[in-house]
Short mmCIF file of all heavy atoms in Angstrom, two decimals:
data_model
loop_
_atom_site.label_atom_id
_atom_site.label_comp_id
_atom_site.label_asym_id
_atom_site.label_seq_id
_atom_site.Cartn_x
_atom_site.Cartn_y
_atom_site.Cartn_z
N ARG T 302 9.90 -0.72 8.00
CA ARG T 302 10.44 0.60 8.02
C ARG T 302 10.58 1.12 6.62
O ARG T 302 10.61 0.34 5.59
CB ARG T 302 11.84 0.56 8.69
CG ARG T 302 12.98 -0.04 7.83
CD ARG T 302 14.31 -0.02 8.48
NE ARG T 302 15.34 -0.41 7.64
CZ ARG T 302 15.64 -1.55 7.08
NH1 ARG T 302 14.79 -2.58 7.44
NH2 ARG T 302 16.62 -1.75 6.30
N MET T 303 10.58 2.45 6.56
CA MET T 303 10.72 3.09 5.21
C MET T 303 11.71 4.20 5.38
O MET T 303 11.55 5.03 6.23
CB MET T 303 9.35 3.60 4.67
CG MET T 303 9.52 4.10 3.35
SD MET T 303 7.98 4.66 2.48
CE MET T 303 6.99 3.21 2.64
N GLU T 304 12.71 4.18 4.50
CA GLU T 304 13.67 5.25 4.39
C GLU T 304 13.22 6.20 3.30
O GLU T 304 13.37 5.89 2.10
CB GLU T 304 15.05 4.71 4.06
CG GLU T 304 15.52 3.73 5.13
CD GLU T 304 16.71 2.80 4.64
OE1 GLU T 304 16.95 2.87 3.42
OE2 GLU T 304 17.21 2.07 5.46
N ALA T 305 12.59 7.33 3.62
CA ALA T 305 11.89 8.17 2.72
C ALA T 305 12.92 9.13 2.02
O ALA T 305 13.00 10.33 2.32
CB ALA T 305 10.83 8.95 3.34
N ARG T 306 13.73 8.54 1.15
CA ARG T 306 14.72 9.22 0.32
C ARG T 306 14.90 8.40 -0.93
O ARG T 306 14.75 7.20 -0.90
CB ARG T 306 15.96 9.50 1.06
CG ARG T 306 16.66 8.15 1.52
CD ARG T 306 17.99 8.29 2.16
NE ARG T 306 18.52 7.07 2.59
CZ ARG T 306 19.03 6.12 1.86
NH1 ARG T 306 19.03 6.24 0.62
NH2 ARG T 306 19.49 5.01 2.36
N GLY T 307 15.33 9.07 -2.04
CA GLY T 307 15.73 8.35 -3.17
C GLY T 307 16.74 7.27 -2.91
O GLY T 307 17.78 7.49 -2.22
N GLY T 308 16.47 5.94 -3.33
CA GLY T 308 17.29 4.88 -2.99
C GLY T 308 16.98 4.20 -1.66
O GLY T 308 17.61 3.23 -1.36
N GLY T 309 16.07 4.80 -0.91
CA GLY T 309 15.71 4.24 0.44
C GLY T 309 15.00 2.94 0.34
O GLY T 309 14.44 2.61 -0.72
N CYS T 310 14.90 2.26 1.45
CA CYS T 310 14.27 0.95 1.50
C CYS T 310 12.92 0.97 2.22
O CYS T 310 12.79 1.48 3.21
CB CYS T 310 15.26 -0.07 2.19
SG CYS T 310 14.72 -1.74 2.05
N PHE T 311 11.97 0.31 1.58
CA PHE T 311 10.70 -0.11 2.32
C PHE T 311 11.00 -1.56 2.61
O PHE T 311 10.91 -2.49 1.69
CB PHE T 311 9.49 0.06 1.40
CG PHE T 311 8.23 -0.46 1.98
CD1 PHE T 311 8.03 -0.55 3.38
CD2 PHE T 311 7.20 -0.85 1.13
CE1 PHE T 311 6.89 -0.95 3.89
CE2 PHE T 311 6.03 -1.37 1.64
CZ PHE T 311 5.84 -1.49 3.05
N CYS T 312 11.38 -1.77 3.86
CA CYS T 312 11.92 -3.12 4.23
C CYS T 312 11.23 -3.62 5.46
O CYS T 312 10.57 -2.87 6.16
CB CYS T 312 13.45 -2.92 4.49
SG CYS T 312 14.39 -2.74 3.01
N GLU T 313 11.43 -4.89 5.72
CA GLU T 313 11.00 -5.56 6.87
C GLU T 313 12.10 -6.43 7.42
O GLU T 313 12.69 -7.18 6.64
CB GLU T 313 9.72 -6.41 6.48
CG GLU T 313 9.10 -7.19 7.55
CD GLU T 313 7.87 -7.97 6.96
OE1 GLU T 313 7.60 -7.87 5.81
OE2 GLU T 313 7.33 -8.71 7.81
N SER T 314 12.34 -6.31 8.69
CA SER T 314 13.43 -7.13 9.26
C SER T 314 12.89 -7.72 10.62
O SER T 314 12.23 -7.05 11.38
CB SER T 314 14.65 -6.24 9.63
OG SER T 314 15.16 -5.68 8.48
#
Side-chain angles (χ1 to χ4, degrees):
R302 75 178 189 288
M303 185 174 308
E304 301 161 354
R306 59 174 176 74
C310 189
F311 174 28
C312 291
E313 181 178 356
S314 299

